[in-house]
Amino acid sequence: MDKIDGMRAFVAVVETGSFIAAGKRLGISNKLVSKYIGVLEGQLEVTLLHRTTRSLSLTNEGRTYLEGCRKVLSECDALDLTMDQSGGFSGLLRVTAPLTFGETFVVDAAIKFMTTYPDVTVEIDMSDRHADLAEGAFDLAIRMGPLKDSSLIAQKLASSEYLAVASSSYIEEFGSPAHPDDLKSHSCIRDTNNPHPNRWPFFIEGQMIQVPVNGPYIANSPPACLAPAYAGKGIYHCPEVFLGDDLVSGKLVRVLEGFQSRKIDVHAVYLPTAYRNRKVVAFIETLRADLSHHL
């Protein structure tokens, strides 16, 4: 066994939390992952991991060795790139993203990216569930909202304010709310992607207040909620990034302009071992540039 293989197996187990997930990332069996680490520990004459039937944890020696492994593997990967005539821009790039955001922005970014780097194959998996990057063998994830997994490296791409909007026809028929409390007498279009679809947050007299809302229409994506808003069926509350040019064109009108709501952040997240991957860095910058034109 090459010691580099042992190092890659060791880092993969630590970052994924299991031999099975590490094997999936490396494209080998979990038994071979275990063998590699066992041989590595034998060569070093130390124990790197405490193993139980339910958990894995680093020994003190393992913590020290982990940092060294990451540096060595980064240098190896950087050296490989110098020998790659494509400059690292070839092969497969796997990206996971929320469904609506993915269809709206990530796909466009992928088209531009592939035009610039034609030797890269981009695979996009769109789901509103947060995929496990290691288990799913993803190079990059796009996340909206609060981040939960502190083991991932995150780069903020954009921040989008929630706006309350309606069509002119709705306002002509039912009037425009002057205060968030007025929403209780309006038909509100609720998006279940919002963690609290029945309460919309607004700053009122310096405090964030969760305002109860109700209405006859509920869906789980911005396009599905925007359709009835266009048709004059209610007021919708969503991140500005999904409105496109609707406000400029007059297709929708902002209501409650005097009351600021919350903002939602968009992040690119990836595993620590991916930070030297040129494809990941370039795709992030392509998407960041695209978003800058919309916000």
Side-chain angles (χ1 to χ4, degrees):
M1 180 203 76
D2 187 287
K3 184 170 282 189
I4 295 296
D5 291 333
M7 289 181 176
R8 290 195 188 281
F10 171 57
V11 172
V13 168
V14 173
E15 291 184 351
T16 64
S18 77
F19 287 92
I20 294 175
K24 288 182 179 179
R25 182 204 282 192
L26 299 172
I28 59 178
S29 69
N30 59 305
K31 290 183 179 179
L32 191 53
V33 172
S34 180
K35 178 182 177 181
Y36 280 174
I37 293 178
V39 172
L40 184 63
E41 289 176 324
Q43 292 173 340
L44 298 172
E45 297 184 348
V46 298
T47 300
L48 299 173
L49 293 166
H50 291 304
R51 304 165 176 82
T52 69
T53 55
R54 294 187 177 182
S55 65
L56 292 168
S57 62
L58 285 166
T59 64
N60 290 331
E61 293 81 3
R63 289 190 186 90
T64 301
Y65 196 65
L66 176 64
E67 296 309 310
C69 283
R70 283 175 169 160
K71 291 178 182 178
V72 170
L73 294 175
S74 293
E75 290 175 1
C76 287
D77 292 341
L79 182 59
D80 287 345
L81 286 176
T82 64
M83 306 303 293
D84 182 354
Q85 293 184 355
S86 73
F89 294 105
S90 63
L92 179 65
L93 177 69
R94 300 193 73 234
V95 182
T96 178
L99 183 59
T100 301
F101 189 87
E103 292 177 336
T104 307
F105 297 106
V106 178
V107 169
D108 286 346
I111 293 170
K112 293 178 182 178
F113 181 86
M114 289 187 297
T115 302
T116 306
Y117 306 107
D119 293 329
V120 178
T121 299
V122 180
E123 179 181 342
I124 303 174
D125 178 90
M126 286 182 280
S127 172
D128 290 328
R129 293 184 178 182
H130 283 188
D132 185 300
L133 270 67
E135 186 173 348
F138 290 108
D139 298 294
L140 176 67
I142 307 304
R143 301 267 167 87
M144 297 189 72
L147 298 177
K148 297 178 181 179
D149 191 340
S150 60
S151 68
L152 300 174
I153 296 176
Q155 288 192 35
K156 184 177 175 180
L157 300 178
S159 185
S160 183
E161 183 179 358
Y162 271 74
L163 304 181
V165 295
S167 68
S168 297
S169 61
Y170 178 87
I171 293 172
E172 290 172 5
E173 184 172 357
F174 300 102
S176 180
H179 189 278
D181 287 342
D182 296 338
L183 290 171
K184 63 185 178 184
S185 61
H186 282 270
S187 174
C188 294
I189 299 165
R190 291 169 289 164
D191 188 339
T192 55
N193 280 318
N194 188 323
H196 305 290
N198 300 322
R199 301 195 304 274
W200 292 355
F202 291 93
F203 279 101
I204 302 174
E205 297 181 357
Q207 289 188 326
M208 180 67 81
I209 304 298
Q210 298 289 336
V211 179
V213 296
N214 207 341
Y217 187 90
I218 304 171
N220 67 343
S221 79
C225 290
L226 282 168
Y230 296 147
K233 300 302 182 182
I235 298 173
Y236 182 40
H237 188 243
C238 74
E240 183 180 6
V241 70
F242 292 127
L243 295 176
D245 62 356
D246 287 346
L247 296 177
V248 175
S249 67
K251 194 172 185 179
L252 292 173
V253 177
R254 185 177 176 184
V255 300
L256 297 172
E257 285 194 64
F259 297 89
Q260 186 180 6
S261 187
R262 72 183 182 98
K263 293 184 177 182
I264 187 168
D265 293 332
V266 181
H267 287 91
V269 300
Y270 48 91
L271 293 162
T273 48
Y275 81 102
R276 294 290 293 273
N277 187 321
R278 293 185 182 183
K279 291 178 290 190
V280 170
V281 174
F283 193 88
I284 289 173
E285 291 311 312
T286 301
L287 181 56
R288 191 198 304 277
D290 261 16
L291 288 173
S292 68
H293 297 302
H294 294 274
L295 294 171

